[in-house]
Amino acid sequence: MRATLSLYLHGPHGLWLRTAYCVLAAAIAALAFALHARLRGPARRGLPLALFCVAGAGLATVAVGDSWLPERAPLLAPLVHGLAAQTAFLCVTTAMLLQAWCFGRDPRWRGFHRLAWWWAWLTFAGLWLHVLWRDTPRGLGQKAVIALVVGWLALAALQLWRRRGHG
């Protein structure tokens, strides 16, 4: 409950977790491109796409950097890890907010807009609660934010899949 996922990157299942980070990073980028391709008119914006891709790159950097940096550059590793992780969290939650707002601008996605919007705000607030409230168990807060992010992404992917044959 108190251990952040970073502690597990070097444990006995570290390779598995780093691989999962890279798969999630690729999935975030693929979902972003698919959503961008599916939305039309004023709902189709490049900023959510760019932010999702930067978030994926940040997540992959955490995984790849934590595989070799701690041994080769032990003083640089925590800085790279911290910046990459913070970039991933901030970019993905901001992209979720922007993408949810864009859903409301496409008539085909309006039914999903309200749920996506409030879920994204809950996730964004959860991230800032995790960052600013230092008395909470660090691992629990981080895992809760990750669960909210992955849940939002999964729900968006499900909505995309349901709309695959419509226009």
Side-chain angles (χ1 to χ4, degrees), residues 31-115:
L31 178 61
F33 277 103
L35 288 170
H36 183 73
R38 215 59 169 123
L39 292 165
R40 298 285 178 251
R44 188 177 193 181
R45 295 287 177 242
L47 187 55
L49 170 64
L51 286 170
F52 277 130
C53 289
V54 170
L59 187 57
T61 300
V62 168
V64 173
D66 273 60
S67 64
W68 60 270
L69 262 182
E71 292 174 5
R72 301 254 168 99
L75 297 178
L76 183 61
L79 176 65
V80 170
H81 177 95
L83 288 175
Q86 291 169 13
T87 298
F89 273 121
L90 189 56
C91 286
V92 78
T93 56
T94 303
M96 288 165 49
L97 281 169
L98 291 169
Q99 190 67 71
W101 177 71
C102 289
F103 289 149
R105 301 181 76 181
D106 188 322
R108 297 168 304 150
W109 286 81
R110 273 201 195 113
F112 180 56
H113 165 71
R114 179 171 283 148
L115 175 61

Side-chain angles (χ1 to χ4, degrees), residues 1-8 130 133-143:
M1 294 301 251
R2 295 200 175 275
T4 63
L5 287 177
S6 305
L7 293 177
Y8 302 111
H130 167 68
W133 189 17
R134 303 308 267 174
D135 292 334
T136 62
R138 302 305 298 154
L140 180 62
Q142 181 195 57
K143 291 169 189 142

Side-chain angles (χ1 to χ4, degrees), residues 109-133:
W109 286 81
R110 273 201 195 113
F112 180 56
H113 165 71
R114 179 171 283 148
L115 175 61
W117 179 249
W118 288 111
W119 193 322
W121 270 112
L122 176 66
T123 307
F124 191 76
L127 173 64
W128 284 103
L129 182 67
H130 167 68
V131 168
L132 297 174
W133 189 17

